[in-house]
Amino acid sequence: MKCYICAQQGDDSDAVAACVVCGMGVCMDHVVREEVETWEGGYPFPAKKLPKKIPRMLCPECVSVYRKA
């Protein structure tokens, strides 16, 4: 798999991860490792936030949306 962002810029680099949100392939220059909150709960809600976060790989676009929330 190739990095989608690099391909848009006319470059050719291998992806090292896929964004956990949108699935975009990203290279080492574009991947963002983010500590994501973990929630527990069944259907229907309520849910509760767990004390530990999980490391996830995200693309720059998805991490910008995540950080705004």
Side-chain angles (χ1 to χ4, degrees), residues 2-64:
K2 299 294 182 180
C3 176
Y4 182 77
I5 298 170
C6 285
Q8 284 184 318
Q9 297 171 349
D11 294 331
D12 182 25
S13 60
D14 291 329
V16 295
C19 176
V20 70
V21 176
C22 71
M24 179 189 303
V26 286
C27 67
M28 285 298 292
D29 292 334
H30 294 114
V31 69
V32 180
R33 184 181 183 274
E34 187 75 15
E35 297 288 325
V36 177
E37 294 175 344
T38 307
W39 292 81
E40 176 182 64
Y43 179 84
F45 294 97
K48 67 176 183 175
K49 188 177 359 178
L50 297 177
K52 293 187 178 183
K53 295 183 177 184
I54 297 176
R56 296 287 186 213
M57 302 302 181
L58 300 166
C59 71
E61 186 174 343
C62 289
V63 81
S64 70

